[in-house]
Amino acid sequence: MKLKAILVEDEANSREILRNYLAKYCPDVTLVGEAATIKEGLALIHDNELDLVFLDVEMPFGNAFDLLEQVPERTFETVFVTAYNNYAMDALNNHAAYYLMKPISIDELIKAVDYVKEIRQKENALEDRILKPKLSTVEGKITIPQQDGFQVLNVADIMYCKADDNYTEIYINDKRIVVSKTLKYFEDALADFSFARVHKSYVVNVNEVVKYVKGKGGSVILSNGKELLVSASKKKDLLAYFE
């Protein structure tokens, strides 16, 4: 499997070392560009369909996290390359695939590339298979608390739930019900049915999913045509409902 990649690194010498290492030890990586600044890196990201970005943490006029904030729905994996070990937790929170310390270890570089290849291969294998929900029905009822009592809903009729601060919007086709409960409340209430938390803002009825659109997290399209974002960290939770 070939990986299309770019380097975002302000030091020319560091770019040269990494470029040479990749050419010699990682033949499955195809470099399509190099950038010395965040602005140049963003331009390369927007102009190319990438599998991998090697990203230095500290650069002039900002850092790696400033760049990633401007690409909220990433379709590529990120390998951080830095001389500092105090960014590891931030890298993890930004879903980095690997964290390389300078001076770069060839063995660690090969491991990083192999790990990204494994991630991409698994994603492609899952996304390209003919999938079906593990559970074909969502029979059952839940009660929705209201000021004057409660309303009973058929679980199967719920298409998705959307967070709105401490409230939740429940969508049944084109009908919206607003409830003074958090999304976590409904995530727990629907845990025994075919519902997946796909984003910090959404819990979806998996049986209403008619299409998955590839991406770092990607998105799902429901039977009513509604498209909802899938967080990178929740993608596995969604795919776990299919086999």
Side-chain angles (χ1 to χ4, degrees):
M1 180 183 186
K2 292 288 186 180
L3 299 175
K4 291 177 63 177
I6 63 170
L7 310 181
V8 184
E9 162 69 69
D10 64 305
E11 297 179 1
N13 183 58
S14 295
R15 289 199 305 274
E16 182 180 6
I17 291 172
L18 184 50
R19 182 194 317 125
N20 291 338
Y21 281 179
L22 289 170
K24 187 172 182 179
Y25 301 106
C26 303
D28 289 333
V29 176
T30 301
L31 281 181
V32 297
E34 298 181 16
T37 65
I38 291 174
K39 183 177 180 180
E40 291 174 358
L42 286 170
L44 286 173
I45 289 169
H46 290 147
D47 291 344
N48 295 276
E49 292 186 8
L50 300 171
D51 297 296
L52 174 58
V53 173
F54 290 95
L55 187 56
D56 186 20
V57 175
E58 293 197 348
M59 290 178 286
F61 312 111
N63 60 33
F65 307 109
D66 297 324
L67 182 150
L68 293 176
E69 282 181 2
Q70 297 182 63
V71 193
E73 293 303 320
R74 303 193 292 275
T75 59
F76 53 83
E77 300 296 332
T78 307
V79 172
F80 281 77
V81 185
T82 178
Y84 306 94
N85 61 11
N86 56 313
Y87 292 109
M89 184 58 68
D90 289 331
L92 180 65
N93 290 336
N94 278 271
H95 309 295
Y98 216 90
Y99 195 86
L100 287 175
M101 293 291 298
K102 297 178 182 178
I104 295 173
S105 160
I106 294 171
D107 287 342
E108 287 299 308
L109 175 62
I110 294 172
K111 286 181 183 178
V113 170
D114 286 346
Y115 183 63
V116 171
K117 284 173 58 180
E118 182 181 353
I119 291 173
R120 302 302 271 191
Q121 287 168 345
K122 286 181 177 179
E123 287 179 348
N124 290 338
L126 281 169
E127 292 166 2
D128 292 338
R129 279 169 42 204
I130 296 174
L131 302 174
K132 61 180 181 179
K134 290 181 179 178
L135 300 176
S136 59
T137 62
V138 281
E139 296 178 357
K141 297 179 183 291
I142 61 170
T143 58
I144 304 299
Q146 297 181 332
Q147 286 186 342
D148 58 350
F150 60 83
Q151 182 177 355
V152 180
L153 296 180
N154 289 317
V155 172
D157 294 336
I158 300 173
M159 302 201 74
Y160 69 99
C161 303
K162 179 182 178 182
D164 183 10
D165 291 329
N166 289 323
Y167 291 82
T168 296
E169 300 173 0
I170 299 175
Y171 287 84
I172 300 175
N173 293 320
D174 295 328
K175 182 180 177 182
R176 184 186 68 153
I177 302 172
V178 180
V179 185
S180 59
K181 295 287 185 181
T182 64
L183 187 62
K184 183 64 168 62
Y185 173 89
F186 286 100
E187 180 184 8
D188 294 339
L190 297 168
D192 292 334
F193 305 100
S194 296
F195 283 78
R197 181 74 175 260
V198 299
H199 190 275
K200 65 180 181 180
S201 298
Y202 303 116
V203 169
V204 302
N205 183 343
V206 175
N207 290 285
E208 296 295 335
V209 174
V210 298
K211 184 177 181 180
Y212 171 75
V213 181
K214 290 183 180 181
K216 176 64 177 175
S219 62
V220 289
I221 298 176
L222 305 183
S223 59
N224 65 350
K226 180 69 175 180
E227 184 170 5
L228 304 175
L229 291 176
V230 177
S231 298
S233 60
K234 297 294 184 182
K235 184 175 181 177
K236 289 182 180 179
D237 294 343
L238 169 66
L239 295 178
Y241 278 81
F242 295 87
E243 61 182 1

